[in-house]
Amino acid sequence: MAFYFQEPSHTFGEYLLVPGYSSEQCIPSNVSLRTPLVRFRKGEEPKISMNIPMTSAIMQAVSNDTMAIALAKEGGVSFIYGSQSIEDEAAMVRRVKTYKSGFVGSDSNIRPTTTLREILELLDRTGHSTMAVTEDGTPTGKLLGIVTSRDYRISRMTGDEQAKDFMTPFEKLIYADAESTTLSMANDLIWEHKLNMLPLIDKSQRLRYMVFRKDYTDNKANELELIDSSKRYIVGAGINTRDYAERVPALLEAGADVLCIDSSEGFSEWQRITLKHIHEKFGEDVKVGAGNVVDAAGFRFLADAGADFIKVGIGGGSICITRETKGIGRGQATALIDVCAERDKYFEETGIYIPVCSDGGIVHDYHMTLALAMGADFLMLGRYFSRFDESPSDKVKINGTYYKEYWGEGSNRARNWQRYDLGGAKKLSFEEGVDSYVPYAGSLKSNVGVTLSKIRSTMCNCGSLSLPEFRDKAKLTLVSATSIVEGGSHDVILRDKFSARSN
């Protein structure tokens, strides 16, 4: 006879936190969100910790090098998606590790023959008013000049003019050497010459970096940025249980700090074999997360197999239809509570702490706070990050509103069969994800800042100044369907409705 769990499985939306005593020290600015990313022994420090409990999902529509740099600046880690060639994934990792804070590659590049009309179209697509004119139109071509909005007047030009006729030519530019110029030196030149941007070139006049005046304050503001001992941004990478023997060494050579097996279901021999191979081949210093699981038995299996962190969640993602197509999974809140209890038990027995990552089920920002209260050490987020400028998907305009494309790894578009591999044929037999749109939300920095402010504020309401303290002090209550309705605005007519009628 089948085993039946006696308790129904619950989602985050069915819980609320009950406030606790807040001392005079409980103000958001005193809250630390630092959290371990990988396993460690009692009394020791983990090899990698994060300054915020956020990682971005191993998805084509979410985590590339642009996302990894932006999230590392805020204190989190991106896991670059593995459903691409080994060479392409390694190249993304390498771009993150070689990125110099404040030194950015040129995103908008044109040729001398590019017309004003084409320049305006590029401006509309990217929003970048500063464009490098290179010999071949590439980000690292020979720099011939710069075009900014000050170089042309739309009302007095036809649009057929070529960049070479109105750009600021190279001989009139102030520039610096890419090899010897530090960020401090670059900023001094910007302020001394009243520049908005300083190009950095190599000995062959090829463009290497740009340093913008506007980034000066940004660099000062990234107090939580996550860097390694060489002051390079920390980055993760996704792997699968098929080509790990070839993929892992390429990613490590590129500089990946941590790996994660990307799989829809982690309670399998394939993950144990993969973990064993990596640790035997490359040693215990190479950190590898595994998952996903939804109960204590799954956690214990991966812990014993050597996982350095364990992901929890099956079927709870906004674009995941695994529960609908296969009938497997568990409510995210219940799964997380169960697994975190087993993590604590494992720590008591062995003295080894294995961080738990909650993956999926987040609809509102407060769900993140609930997940942390229930025991998660950090979160893995897909839809949340897919909405931002830094995600790799296209921004599209539909009926006057901007959206970002967002698709699941189990969708026909991604065709990431390795993530759903059960050892059979190398194909995607049926879809376990959908292709969709999410409302465009702007920059990562501003949105993450608001979310973290909510988390810190709620932790103060519960009398906690750190995540371990929050887990110890949190009091959670299940809520009824009626009380969920009570929690939102009710029994009033919102002013927006009147505004809509008057328009």
Side-chain angles (χ1 to χ4, degrees):
M1 182 177 175
F3 175 81
Y4 289 87
F5 287 91
Q6 295 303 307
E7 178 193 354
S9 67
H10 298 286
T11 64
F12 294 132
E14 296 175 77
Y15 285 90
L16 286 174
L17 280 156
V18 176
Y21 167 72
S22 300
S23 72
E24 60 183 10
Q25 297 299 315
C26 286
I27 56 175
S29 60
N30 286 340
V31 172
S32 169
L33 295 177
R34 189 166 175 80
T35 191
L37 177 62
V38 295
R39 71 159 64 198
F40 61 95
R41 290 189 174 276
K42 187 175 183 180
E44 298 178 353
E45 287 294 315
K47 182 181 178 183
I48 306 174
S49 292
M50 297 187 293
N51 292 325
I52 63 172
M54 286 182 168
T55 62
S56 65
I58 311 169
M59 300 176 68
Q60 295 173 11
V62 180
S63 296
N64 65 347
D65 49 304
T66 307
M67 176 62 69
I69 292 167
L71 186 51
K73 286 181 178 180
E74 303 307 311
V77 172
S78 282
F79 285 87
I80 289 175
Y81 68 91
S83 52
Q84 58 180 321
S85 72
I86 294 173
E87 295 75 19
D88 287 346
E89 185 180 10
M92 285 189 180
V93 170
R94 195 171 289 109
R95 285 198 289 272
V96 178
K97 299 306 289 187
T98 57
Y99 179 87
K100 297 166 77 174
S101 181
F103 293 76
V104 299
S106 180
D107 289 332
S108 296
N109 307 283
I110 56 178
R111 289 185 170 88
T113 54
T114 303
T115 66
L116 175 61
R117 186 175 293 106
E118 292 170 328
I119 288 171
L120 295 176
E121 289 173 356
L122 181 60
L123 172 63
D124 186 58
R125 289 200 307 272
T126 66
H128 301 153
S129 59
T130 299
M131 302 179 190
V133 184
T134 58
E135 196 170 52
D136 56 3
T138 66
T140 56
K142 184 177 181 180
L143 182 64
L144 302 180
I146 295 290
V147 168
T148 72
S149 57
R150 293 180 296 180
D151 292 313
Y152 53 82
R153 294 182 68 179
I154 300 173
S155 61
R156 297 191 180 186
M157 300 171 75
T158 65
D160 295 322
E161 295 85 356
Q162 295 183 342
K164 62 184 179 181
D165 298 323
F166 57 85
M167 70 183 185
T168 302
F170 179 78
E171 52 270 18
K172 292 187 177 181
L173 294 175
I174 294 180
Y175 54 89
D177 177 60
E179 298 300 326
S180 60
T181 305
T182 65
L183 183 59
S184 177
M185 293 165 61
N187 282 320
D188 286 344
L189 284 171
I190 286 173
W191 288 97
E192 179 184 346
H193 295 281
K194 300 180 180 180
L195 305 174
N196 286 323
M197 185 277 296
L198 176 73
L200 277 74
I201 61 172
D202 63 17
K203 293 177 181 178
S204 301
Q205 199 177 311
R206 298 178 69 86
L207 180 63
R208 291 283 302 280
Y209 306 108
M210 291 177 165
V211 179
F212 288 88
R213 174 189 286 261
K214 66 180 179 62
D215 289 339
Y216 177 78
T217 52
D218 289 346
N219 293 328
K220 294 292 184 182
N222 295 330
E223 296 178 354
L224 295 177
E225 66 179 1
L226 198 61
I227 55 177
D228 62 18
S229 58
S230 300
K231 297 187 177 180
R232 302 175 301 175
Y233 286 131
I234 287 177
V235 60
I239 61 173
N240 60 65
T241 57
R242 285 276 186 171
D243 66 6
Y244 54 86
E246 298 80 29
R247 189 174 293 267
V248 170
L251 295 174
L252 295 177
E253 184 182 0
D257 298 281
V258 58
L259 306 173
C260 183
I261 301 172
D262 181 29
S263 176
S264 64
E265 204 278 298
F267 199 167
S268 82
E269 185 65 10
W270 303 113
Q271 294 221 2
R272 190 193 68 78
I273 293 171
T274 302
L275 289 165
K276 181 180 179 182
H277 171 87
I278 294 173
H279 286 140
E280 287 183 350
K281 181 82 173 176
F282 302 102
E284 295 298 323
D285 282 343
V286 173
K287 300 302 181 182
V288 190
N292 288 19
V293 298
V294 291
D295 64 2
F299 174 90
R300 180 69 63 155
F301 172 81
L302 289 178
D304 291 340
D308 290 293
F309 66 84
I310 294 173
K311 291 202 298 166
V312 176
I314 294 177
S318 60
I319 40 69
C320 184
I321 54 173
T322 295
R323 297 180 193 176
E324 188 177 320
T325 57
K326 296 171 68 175
I328 66 167
R330 198 177 188 190
Q332 186 67 9
T334 299
L336 184 60
I337 293 168
D338 193 359
V339 169
C340 288
E342 189 66 16
R343 174 204 58 201
D344 294 343
K345 182 179 177 182
Y346 189 87
F347 181 55
E348 290 177 6
E349 294 174 3
T350 66
I352 298 173
Y353 187 90
I354 302 177
V356 167
C357 168
S358 180
D359 179 16
I362 302 294
V363 180
H364 305 291
D365 284 357
Y366 83 90
H367 289 170
M368 300 184 201
T369 315
L370 288 170
L372 296 170
M374 291 172 180
D377 294 279
F378 59 95
L379 315 165
M380 181 167 279
L381 305 162
R383 182 193 61 84
Y384 178 83
F385 285 117
S386 71
R387 305 170 300 145
F388 303 150
D389 289 319
E390 294 81 2
S391 74
S393 66
D394 290 331
K395 182 172 71 171
V396 297
K397 194 173 186 179
I398 303 174
N399 296 328
T401 302
Y402 281 106
Y403 296 87
K404 293 276 281 187
E405 294 181 318
Y406 180 46
W407 59 95
E409 290 296 295
S411 68
N412 194 50
R413 180 172 181 174
R415 300 208 62 78
N416 182 9
W417 63 267
Q418 294 96 332
R419 188 176 199 276
Y420 302 87
D421 182 27
L422 294 175
K426 298 181 179 181
K427 64 178 183 178
L428 195 66
S429 301
F430 54 89
E431 290 186 284
E432 293 189 45
V434 298
D435 196 346
S436 64
Y437 298 101
V438 290
Y440 167 66
S443 73
L444 178 147
K445 185 176 184 66
S446 59
N447 282 277
V448 166
V450 171
T451 299
L452 295 178
S453 292
K454 294 177 183 177
I455 293 174
R456 291 188 180 102
S457 179
T458 304
M459 287 173 62
C460 286
N461 291 144
C462 297
S464 306
L465 296 176
S466 69
L467 291 176
E469 184 181 20
F470 187 39
R471 289 194 289 270
D472 288 341
K473 291 185 175 180
K475 296 181 290 184
L476 291 134
T477 181
L478 273 169
V479 294
S480 68
T482 306
S483 65
I484 292 173
V485 174
E486 180 187 60
S489 59
H490 60 91
D491 300 312
V492 295
I493 301 173
L494 299 179
R495 291 171 64 93
D496 288 347
K497 293 189 180 295
F498 285 110
S499 298
R501 289 173 187 170
S502 63
N503 291 335

PDB file of all heavy atoms in Angstrom, residues 165-176:
ATOM      1  N   ASP A 165      30.721  61.411 -40.366  1.00  0.00           N
ATOM      2  CA  ASP A 165      30.583  62.824 -40.698  1.00  0.00           C
ATOM      3  C   ASP A 165      30.226  63.702 -39.508  1.00  0.00           C
ATOM      4  O   ASP A 165      30.366  64.923 -39.587  1.00  0.00           O
ATOM      5  CB  ASP A 165      29.529  63.002 -41.804  1.00  0.00           C
ATOM      6  CG  ASP A 165      29.925  62.297 -43.093  1.00  0.00           C
ATOM      7  OD1 ASP A 165      31.133  62.307 -43.406  1.00  0.00           O
ATOM      8  OD2 ASP A 165      29.045  61.729 -43.767  1.00  0.00           O
ATOM      9  N   PHE A 166      29.754  63.097 -38.410  1.00  0.00           N
ATOM     10  CA  PHE A 166      29.374  63.939 -37.268  1.00  0.00           C
ATOM     11  C   PHE A 166      29.881  63.412 -35.921  1.00  0.00           C
ATOM     12  O   PHE A 166      29.661  64.023 -34.887  1.00  0.00           O
ATOM     13  CB  PHE A 166      27.855  64.133 -37.212  1.00  0.00           C
ATOM     14  CG  PHE A 166      27.046  62.861 -37.142  1.00  0.00           C
ATOM     15  CD1 PHE A 166      26.801  62.244 -35.922  1.00  0.00           C
ATOM     16  CD2 PHE A 166      26.533  62.279 -38.291  1.00  0.00           C
ATOM     17  CE1 PHE A 166      26.050  61.081 -35.848  1.00  0.00           C
ATOM     18  CE2 PHE A 166      25.784  61.109 -38.237  1.00  0.00           C
ATOM     19  CZ  PHE A 166      25.539  60.508 -37.011  1.00  0.00           C
ATOM     20  N   MET A 167      30.565  62.290 -35.915  1.00  0.00           N
ATOM     21  CA  MET A 167      31.099  61.749 -34.660  1.00  0.00           C
ATOM     22  C   MET A 167      32.229  62.636 -34.133  1.00  0.00           C
ATOM     23  O   MET A 167      32.808  63.454 -34.844  1.00  0.00           O
ATOM     24  CB  MET A 167      31.634  60.326 -34.889  1.00  0.00           C
ATOM     25  CG  MET A 167      32.904  60.287 -35.739  1.00  0.00           C
ATOM     26  SD  MET A 167      33.455  58.597 -36.046  1.00  0.00           S
ATOM     27  CE  MET A 167      35.008  58.909 -36.926  1.00  0.00           C
ATOM     28  N   THR A 168      32.537  62.453 -32.833  1.00  0.00           N
ATOM     29  CA  THR A 168      33.742  63.056 -32.273  1.00  0.00           C
ATOM     30  C   THR A 168      34.895  62.119 -32.608  1.00  0.00           C
ATOM     31  O   THR A 168      34.942  60.992 -32.111  1.00  0.00           O
ATOM     32  CB  THR A 168      33.624  63.226 -30.749  1.00  0.00           C
ATOM     33  OG1 THR A 168      32.482  64.036 -30.450  1.00  0.00           O
ATOM     34  CG2 THR A 168      34.872  63.871 -30.190  1.00  0.00           C
ATOM     35  N   PRO A 169      35.818  62.546 -33.477  1.00  0.00           N
ATOM     36  CA  PRO A 169      36.864  61.628 -33.952  1.00  0.00           C
ATOM     37  C   PRO A 169      37.875  61.281 -32.858  1.00  0.00           C
ATOM     38  O   PRO A 169      38.011  61.996 -31.868  1.00  0.00           O
ATOM     39  CB  PRO A 169      37.519  62.401 -35.096  1.00  0.00           C
ATOM     40  CG  PRO A 169      37.279  63.829 -34.758  1.00  0.00           C
ATOM     41  CD  PRO A 169      35.942  63.883 -34.075  1.00  0.00           C
ATOM     42  N   PHE A 170      38.591  60.197 -33.073  1.00  0.00           N
ATOM     43  CA  PHE A 170      39.531  59.688 -32.080  1.00  0.00           C
ATOM     44  C   PHE A 170      40.548  60.735 -31.643  1.00  0.00           C
ATOM     45  O   PHE A 170      40.863  60.848 -30.455  1.00  0.00           O
ATOM     46  CB  PHE A 170      40.251  58.450 -32.628  1.00  0.00           C
ATOM     47  CG  PHE A 170      41.265  57.878 -31.683  1.00  0.00           C
ATOM     48  CD1 PHE A 170      40.864  57.109 -30.615  1.00  0.00           C
ATOM     49  CD2 PHE A 170      42.623  58.142 -31.848  1.00  0.00           C
ATOM     50  CE1 PHE A 170      41.796  56.585 -29.719  1.00  0.00           C
ATOM     51  CE2 PHE A 170      43.560  57.628 -30.959  1.00  0.00           C
ATOM     52  CZ  PHE A 170      43.137  56.845 -29.899  1.00  0.00           C
ATOM     53  N   GLU A 171      41.072  61.527 -32.605  1.00  0.00           N
ATOM     54  CA  GLU A 171      42.123  62.489 -32.269  1.00  0.00           C
ATOM     55  C   GLU A 171      41.633  63.598 -31.344  1.00  0.00           C
ATOM     56  O   GLU A 171      42.445  64.289 -30.725  1.00  0.00           O
ATOM     57  CB  GLU A 171      42.724  63.094 -33.547  1.00  0.00           C
ATOM     58  CG  GLU A 171      41.721  63.666 -34.526  1.00  0.00           C
ATOM     59  CD  GLU A 171      41.247  62.625 -35.539  1.00  0.00           C
ATOM     60  OE1 GLU A 171      41.414  61.402 -35.280  1.00  0.00           O
ATOM     61  OE2 GLU A 171      40.730  63.032 -36.588  1.00  0.00           O
ATOM     62  N   LYS A 172      40.314  63.739 -31.204  1.00  0.00           N
ATOM     63  CA  LYS A 172      39.769  64.744 -30.294  1.00  0.00           C
ATOM     64  C   LYS A 172      39.297  64.135 -28.971  1.00  0.00           C
ATOM     65  O   LYS A 172      38.798  64.852 -28.096  1.00  0.00           O
ATOM     66  CB  LYS A 172      38.613  65.487 -30.963  1.00  0.00           C
ATOM     67  CG  LYS A 172      39.046  66.379 -32.127  1.00  0.00           C
ATOM     68  CD  LYS A 172      37.873  67.212 -32.639  1.00  0.00           C
ATOM     69  CE  LYS A 172      38.316  68.144 -33.754  1.00  0.00           C
ATOM     70  NZ  LYS A 172      37.181  68.982 -34.254  1.00  0.00           N
ATOM     71  N   LEU A 173      39.459  62.827 -28.837  1.00  0.00           N
ATOM     72  CA  LEU A 173      39.013  62.150 -27.620  1.00  0.00           C
ATOM     73  C   LEU A 173      40.098  62.162 -26.550  1.00  0.00           C
ATOM     74  O   LEU A 173      41.294  62.156 -26.855  1.00  0.00           O
ATOM     75  CB  LEU A 173      38.648  60.691 -27.918  1.00  0.00           C
ATOM     76  CG  LEU A 173      37.440  60.414 -28.818  1.00  0.00           C
ATOM     77  CD1 LEU A 173      37.336  58.916 -29.068  1.00  0.00           C
ATOM     78  CD2 LEU A 173      36.165  60.953 -28.193  1.00  0.00           C
ATOM     79  N   ILE A 174      39.663  62.156 -25.316  1.00  0.00           N
ATOM     80  CA  ILE A 174      40.570  61.905 -24.195  1.00  0.00           C
ATOM     81  C   ILE A 174      40.373  60.440 -23.817  1.00  0.00           C
ATOM     82  O   ILE A 174      39.250  59.982 -23.586  1.00  0.00           O
ATOM     83  CB  ILE A 174      40.267  62.832 -23.009  1.00  0.00           C
ATOM     84  CG1 ILE A 174      40.586  64.261 -23.420  1.00  0.00           C
ATOM     85  CG2 ILE A 174      41.042  62.412 -21.777  1.00  0.00           C
ATOM     86  CD1 ILE A 174      40.345  65.289 -22.397  1.00  0.00           C
ATOM     87  N   TYR A 175      41.460  59.687 -23.793  1.00  0.00           N
ATOM     88  CA  TYR A 175      41.382  58.252 -23.552  1.00  0.00           C
ATOM     89  C   TYR A 175      42.524  57.841 -22.631  1.00  0.00           C
ATOM     90  O   TYR A 175      43.375  58.658 -22.260  1.00  0.00           O
ATOM     91  CB  TYR A 175      41.449  57.481 -24.876  1.00  0.00           C
ATOM     92  CG  TYR A 175      42.651  57.838 -25.720  1.00  0.00           C
ATOM     93  CD1 TYR A 175      43.865  57.167 -25.571  1.00  0.00           C
ATOM     94  CD2 TYR A 175      42.573  58.857 -26.669  1.00  0.00           C
ATOM     95  CE1 TYR A 175      44.970  57.505 -26.332  1.00  0.00           C
ATOM     96  CE2 TYR A 175      43.679  59.199 -27.443  1.00  0.00           C
ATOM     97  CZ  TYR A 175      44.870  58.519 -27.268  1.00  0.00           C
ATOM     98  OH  TYR A 175      45.964  58.849 -28.020  1.00  0.00           O
ATOM     99  N   ALA A 176      42.546  56.559 -22.247  1.00  0.00           N
ATOM    100  CA  ALA A 176      43.580  56.064 -21.337  1.00  0.00           C
ATOM    101  C   ALA A 176      43.984  54.657 -21.735  1.00  0.00           C
ATOM    102  O   ALA A 176      43.274  53.977 -22.498  1.00  0.00           O
ATOM    103  CB  ALA A 176      43.085  56.105 -19.895  1.00  0.00           C
TER     104      ALA A 176
END
